[in-house]
Amino acid sequence: MPAAEQQLTTQNLVRLTSRPKSANDTLRFVFVGDCQRFYDEAEDFVASVNKQRNIDFVIIAGDISDFGLVREMRWVHHRLRKLNVPYLTVIGNHDQVGNGRAVYQSVFGPLNYSFVYGGTKFICLDTNGREHGFQGQVPNLGWLGQQLADTANSRRSIVLCHVPPTDEDFDPALALAYARTIRGSSQLVFHLAGHIHRFTNGQPFHDGVPYLTAYNFRKRRYTVLSVWGRRQFNLETVAYAPAL
Amino acid sequence: MHRFLLTLSGLLLFLQSQAQVAEPNNRPWYVPEHVVLQTAGGIGMVAGGVGYALGVHRRFDTDVLVGYVPGRYTGDRAFGIFTLKDTYSPFTLPVASRWQIRPLSVGALINYTPSQMLNRSRDDKYSYKNYYWWGSTVRLGAFVGGRVGYAFDTPAGRKRVASLYYELGTNDLYFVSLLTNTKGLALGKILTLGLGIKLDF
């Protein structure tokens, strides 16, 4: 595997931070998930996103691959690298099948990581509890709590994962503690996830925290999220037709 | 059309008559007839094994191979891959007294990777919805290829063939990926090239 196709998370973060953004500017990014085995759609998705203005980056909420194969992740990358902006991912349950976990770590990078851009701290973590046998270790609540508590360089926080805590594939023993940890953050804008293949926006824990889920590629739709101020946000849905 | 078929069957008969016929031997049936060494082709970075040439004209090769993928390519520990492979080569072209070409081979394989590193898809994790329909440790493959052989005599005077072959193949998961992406994925992207040698005992 060529070095240019390894550690893509680091590579994309280098690209992103080479275009610094003030915390006072509105942050705009594309939110979509579950591109697994939708290569036709991936090309149309890239064409559509490249037509958008003022997009900072793209977020893929997990399930980059269907079978956890290295070729699949590279096929997706060969399309997404044509985006005009960097893209960032989080690991999905399908990315952990077979040898997928090792493949994801080599192609993309760490399963849990965070970065700050435009005054906003993104905390991306593995929540695929069922893939880890529901052993109470995934998601790593200790790490999540530390990341949320460390607000030194940011004024807002966003959590990104694949399996939302309301799903049966999330470790049931950890779901409430997870929501409690999230709720404990005073600067959280919202929680982002994928897995269920449709867009939702609700407050399942009735605690004022918005939990959003992403369209999958098959829907030929994605959401553009704009974030500004303390924790204001706006969402726009973009639909793209197949190229003729 | 009739004429075409006649010509074709004539050609096939000619090719059959040219096919190498095994020398009779007294080896027990279970002793393999050839050794195989292969690189890539979906069965390991290197794979070695033994096999039999079956059928009246020895056109069916059945090989059993053990492959190896070093840790630097798996991301962690090395993989061992156990493969059963069947290759059918219907034609043999004698191009010189000792050289023979099998221009077309088609085959299928099944392999098993028992590594503990592989996260199993078929345990009861998702049985509630038969979520993962494929097995993460078992792959089915199919391929086409060709083979060039060189016949020689051992010091003891026995006839042997050493041959070089190639295989262009794919597996079930790559194939399924292609099926639903007629525009976004090309056939070339799902192919795997394997190269190998076979040597009669």
Side-chain angles (χ1 to χ4, degrees), chain A residues 128-182:
Chain A
N128 306 290
R130 194 181 286 277
E131 289 302 327
H132 294 269
F134 288 154
Q135 290 179 5
Q137 308 295 315
V138 175
N140 184 335
L141 294 185
W143 182 84
L144 174 64
Q146 280 169 14
Q147 291 293 322
L148 285 169
D150 177 10
T151 55
N153 303 310
S154 59
R155 62 184 298 199
R156 296 177 286 260
S157 295
I158 289 172
V159 173
L160 168 70
C161 67
H162 179 64
V163 175
T166 43
D167 194 89
E168 56 192 332
D169 298 331
F170 193 101
D171 194 333
L174 298 180
L176 288 178
Y178 180 84
R180 206 159 45 233
T181 307
I182 301 268

Side-chain angles (χ1 to χ4, degrees), chain B residues 43-194:
Chain B
I43 65 169
M45 190 174 167
V46 285
V50 295
Y52 305 86
L54 306 174
V56 180
H57 299 290
R58 298 166 57 82
R59 290 177 188 151
F60 292 92
D61 275 24
T62 296
D63 302 323
V64 181
L65 301 103
V66 181
Y68 175 75
V69 183
R72 63 175 292 218
Y73 293 102
T74 69
D76 197 330
R77 272 178 284 169
F79 285 167
I81 304 178
F82 298 87
T83 301
L84 174 68
K85 185 164 78 162
D86 248 76
T87 312
Y88 174 55
S89 311
F91 316 117
T92 304
L93 307 174
V95 285
S97 59
R98 288 181 175 278
W99 291 91
Q100 50 179 250
I101 294 180
R102 298 190 189 195
L104 173 73
S105 299
V106 292
L109 61 85
I110 181 167
N111 65 39
Y112 174 57
T113 309
S115 170
Q116 283 305 311
M117 253 180 70
L118 290 180
N119 187 8
R120 302 297 195 268
S121 54
R122 301 303 285 276
D123 54 18
D124 52 10
K125 256 187 320 211
Y126 288 88
S127 59
Y128 62 96
K129 50 184 170 182
N130 193 21
Y131 190 66
Y132 297 141
W133 51 265
W134 68 96
S136 51
T137 55
V138 177
R139 287 278 62 73
L140 301 174
F143 56 87
V144 295
R147 182 166 159 184
V148 178
Y150 178 74
F152 64 96
D153 299 324
T154 62
R158 304 173 77 165
K159 289 193 194 316
R160 294 289 179 268
V161 176
S163 51
L164 194 66
Y165 66 88
Y166 80 93
E167 291 170 4
L168 215 45
T170 192
N171 70 35
D172 49 349
L173 299 185
Y174 293 157
F175 184 68
V176 162
S177 301
L178 181 70
L179 279 185
T180 51
N181 292 279
T182 48
K183 182 171 70 79
L185 210 58
L187 177 66
K189 296 288 180 193
I190 66 159
L191 293 180
T192 307
L193 176 67

